[in-house]
Amino acid sequence: MSIFKTLGLSQAIVDSLTDLGYEQPTEIQKIAIPQILGSKNDLKAFAQTGTGKTAAFSLPILEQIDSDNKNTQAIILSPTRELAIQIANNINEFSTNLKSLKTIAVYGGANIEEQIRPLKRGVQIVVGTPGRTLDLIKRRVLNLESIQWLVLDEADEMLNMGFKEELDNILEKTPKSKQTLLFSATFPKEVEAIARNYMNNPTEVSAGQKNVGADNVEHEFFQVSERNRYPALKRIADVNPDIYSIVFCRTRRETKEVAEKLIEDGYNADALHGDLSQAQRDLVMQKFRNKNLQILVATDVAARGLDVNDLTHVINYKLPDQTENYTHRSGRTGRAGKKGISVAIITSKERNKLKPIERKIKKNFVQKQVPNGKEICEIQLFKLIDKIHDIEVNEKEIKDYLPDIYEKLHELDRDELIKRFVSIEFNSFLSYYQDARDLNNNDAPGGDRKRPGDESLVRFYINQGKMDDLTPARLIGLINECLKKRDVEIGQIEILKSFSFFEIDKDFTKDVLEKMNEAQFNNRSVIVEVTAKPKGRSNKRSSKGFGRKNTSEKRNDDFKPNRKKPVSGGRRRRR
């Protein structure tokens, strides 16, 4: 008997799973499927990314849904278009033997009329992004009267992307009698708040510990100078010839620059960032999923909901501002029982950022030395030898050319032939790394020079801080809500006691001043002003910033708001 059968699933669904090659349920599936089938209680479920959450919530819904009733009975919310499409595809595969059941993915960036038509004909399961789902509800196209299940998948990701307002609206409009299923890889305060406000005495289940890293992922760091960050990335790629990796950068600009450098240097790479059209994004993702690309360079926002199997490495070209984001990044490798490696490239001044991550993931980083030229050449040489040894010879096609080939090479003996064939590709690595310098000497004079601040980012003061319950995640959400954009380049964030600082792409300066000065946060008017960047630092956190104890809030060089002219929309409003 199938193990899935013992979980309470019907033979029709079990047969679909068997045809798809599903043999053993994952830990979260073993826990969640019987719970959802056997109880109408709301459910809070923790499981790392890539542990089979989609099947954990969709299979019990498919088991109970009335496929003869054309009304929408389940809504599944996900943070991105890609994840919504993937979930809908998975459900269609699971329900192959449920002939009357219809599932649709709805998301922004696509023709809404083409999504409205099937909804009017009748769809039992709707998988959507919060923005488009809410739009369809407001248009009264998505009818909520028959909703029995509401699933929040990757709830932490949705909140990090600034979807709180949309989630609140959707949750308020759905029937109170529904069963709410909340699945998340991490449970920050904002996710817990949603559970408190919109769930009724939820049962909590967990496949692993909350907010910790996946067991199959090893965590390594390479300490280099700032100017050696990119050369170190290249050596990490070269010493792993079979690398299949996502390289995470902090900003769109950095993502473009790193990807362009890798392509120019001959690496099989491309970029994924907010400036790409949906068609361009789909093309890049298709190439990466088909493994026509080995390295994808991406921002956190662009990679939301990205689901790719068999990644060997996740490389943090720059560490993220939020510890939870590191957990999401590293969780993209080491899936389905396979081993994965999460790499951080840091400078000596960034080493203290590893400690809070280690506390969160319950694992220690292992320091590795950036490989030298000799190590890389040796690995590449034997990779080439293996390639020659394993190549399949097409006797039929090559035989007509062999006499001429033998004639041209008849003066060369066996040893000489081997040397020459190996040297064809090996010479390029040998010449490149022949006099390669040691990148690990990050404490050498001039090794980590201070550099001018990034002129593409503008620094702002905001009159909200820890006293107002402001966190980096909530600040990013506020920015997204005010600007109505989710791909704005955000730099450093410093949360202090009663005020804070943040950096944003200079192209959005006017929008920030106009929109954020019209906003409120925790029933208090928001005031945002342009301020000078701190002297003597380049894009590094203040010692009073996130993750450090705030000992003083004296307005010194860290705070010099531009008060020469009135700032548009910047006056304090009457309460």
Side-chain angles (χ1 to χ4, degrees), residues 7-118:
L7 298 179
L9 299 175
S10 65
Q11 192 62 49
I13 293 177
V14 170
D15 288 344
S16 296
L17 295 174
T18 302
D19 291 341
L20 292 168
Y22 284 73
E23 297 177 355
Q24 296 283 341
T26 65
E27 193 63 30
I28 189 62
Q29 291 163 6
K30 290 178 184 176
I31 299 170
I33 292 173
Q35 174 63 35
I36 299 170
L37 286 174
S39 171
K40 293 298 181 184
N41 289 348
D42 291 346
L43 179 69
K44 280 170 56 180
F46 161 79
Q48 289 290 349
T49 304
T51 54
K53 295 197 296 295
T54 299
F57 60 72
S58 63
L59 293 177
I61 290 175
L62 289 173
E63 185 64 41
Q64 300 175 82
I65 207 162
D66 183 358
S67 57
D68 294 325
N69 181 347
K70 291 188 176 182
N71 291 329
T72 302
Q73 299 163 54
I75 294 177
I76 300 167
L77 297 178
S78 73
T80 65
R81 162 195 173 121
E82 285 77 16
L83 186 56
I85 293 172
Q86 177 192 314
I87 292 171
N89 288 339
N90 288 154
I91 293 175
N92 283 327
E93 291 174 337
F94 298 153
S95 59
T96 304
N97 297 321
L98 307 177
K99 300 302 181 184
S100 302
L101 192 125
K102 302 293 181 185
T103 301
I104 185 176
V106 298
Y107 43 82
N111 189 326
I112 194 169
E113 294 300 326
E114 293 181 2
Q115 296 172 357
I116 288 174
R117 282 195 289 272

Side-chain angles (χ1 to χ4, degrees), residues 538-555:
S538 96
N539 274 344
K540 296 181 176 65
R541 287 200 179 281
S542 162
S543 61
K544 299 179 290 185
F546 179 66
R548 301 260 191 119
K549 185 176 180 181
N550 175 23
T551 56
S552 170
E553 287 197 44
K554 181 181 178 182
R555 294 191 175 188

Side-chain angles (χ1 to χ4, degrees), residues 345-361:
I345 303 174
I346 64 168
T347 64
S348 58
K349 294 180 181 179
E350 293 172 323
R351 190 158 180 169
N352 63 332
K353 292 184 178 181
L354 299 180
K355 288 299 181 186
I357 295 175
E358 289 177 329
R359 289 195 294 270
K360 182 73 73 175
I361 64 176

Side-chain angles (χ1 to χ4, degrees), residues 327 447 511 546 567:
T327 306
D511 291 339
F546 179 66
V567 178

Side-chain angles (χ1 to χ4, degrees), residues 164-432:
K164 183 179 184 302
E165 183 178 340
E166 289 91 339
L167 289 176
D168 286 342
N169 274 309
I170 294 169
L171 286 160
E172 287 171 358
K173 289 175 169 49
T174 50
K176 293 189 180 299
S177 59
K178 68 184 180 300
Q179 185 179 26
T180 301
L181 310 174
L182 188 155
F183 282 73
S184 191
T186 61
F187 273 82
K189 290 189 296 185
E190 292 80 5
V191 175
E192 296 287 4
I194 281 200
R196 286 196 305 271
N197 294 335
Y198 296 106
M199 300 180 79
N200 183 26
N201 295 323
T203 301
E204 184 171 338
V205 300
S206 176
Q209 293 178 282
K210 286 185 185 178
N211 303 333
V212 300
D215 290 336
N216 293 334
V217 179
E218 298 176 5
H219 301 267
E220 302 174 354
F221 75 94
F222 295 85
Q223 186 171 310
V224 297
S225 65
E226 183 61 44
R227 66 193 176 104
N228 286 334
R229 199 184 292 267
Y230 176 71
L233 172 63
K234 290 204 301 180
R235 293 199 190 180
I236 294 168
D238 287 342
V239 84
N240 295 282
D242 295 321
I243 192 170
Y244 183 45
S245 172
I246 299 178
V247 176
F248 280 99
C249 297
R250 292 184 61 254
T251 65
R252 283 180 293 168
R253 191 180 307 274
E254 187 176 75
T255 299
K256 293 178 189 177
E257 290 174 354
V258 171
E260 286 171 2
K261 286 181 182 178
L262 287 170
I263 294 168
E264 288 172 5
D265 289 336
Y267 293 88
N268 199 1
D270 210 335
L272 195 67
H273 52 74
D275 286 345
L276 297 180
S277 68
Q278 192 59 54
Q280 291 172 319
R281 180 186 173 93
D282 290 344
L283 180 60
V284 172
M285 280 310 308
Q286 183 180 358
K287 289 194 296 182
F288 190 56
R289 285 197 176 99
N290 292 339
K291 297 190 177 179
N292 294 326
L293 295 176
Q294 276 190 283
I295 301 174
L296 181 67
V297 189
T299 60
D300 286 299
V301 172
R304 298 295 190 208
L306 184 69
D307 189 55
V308 179
N309 294 323
D310 302 325
L311 289 180
T312 60
H313 294 74
V314 165
I315 299 176
N316 296 269
Y317 188 76
K318 296 278 185 71
L319 287 171
D321 284 327
Q322 296 171 258
T323 306
E324 287 82 6
N325 280 354
Y326 179 87
T327 306
H328 283 296
R329 290 180 179 185
S330 62
R332 297 181 188 280
T333 186
R335 296 183 175 189
K338 296 181 180 178
K339 296 290 184 182
I341 299 174
S342 179
V343 174
I345 303 174
I346 64 168
T347 64
S348 58
K349 294 180 181 179
E350 293 172 323
R351 190 158 180 169
N352 63 332
K353 292 184 178 181
L354 299 180
K355 288 299 181 186
I357 295 175
E358 289 177 329
R359 289 195 294 270
K360 182 73 73 175
I361 64 176
K362 302 290 193 293
K363 287 186 175 182
N364 292 326
F365 280 86
V366 177
Q367 183 169 7
K368 297 287 185 176
Q369 294 295 300
V370 179
N372 58 38
K374 182 179 179 182
E375 292 173 290
I376 292 172
C377 287
E378 182 178 331
I379 287 174
Q380 289 288 341
L381 173 60
F382 284 101
K383 176 65 179 177
L384 178 59
I385 298 301
D386 290 338
K387 185 177 179 181
I388 293 172
H389 181 272
D390 297 335
I391 192 72
E392 184 178 340
V393 177
N394 192 327
E395 296 278 3
K396 183 178 179 181
E397 296 297 328
I398 202 174
K399 68 178 182 179
D400 293 337
Y401 303 99
L402 287 176
D404 290 337
I405 293 172
Y406 291 149
E407 178 63 27
K408 284 182 177 292
L409 300 177
H410 77 278
E411 295 179 355
L412 302 177
D413 61 20
R414 175 179 176 274
D415 290 345
E416 192 67 21
L417 273 172
I418 291 173
K419 290 176 187 176
R420 291 180 183 240
F421 272 104
V422 167
S423 296
I424 289 173
E425 291 191 37
F426 181 63
N427 281 355
S428 61
F429 271 98
L430 192 61
S431 61
Y432 184 83

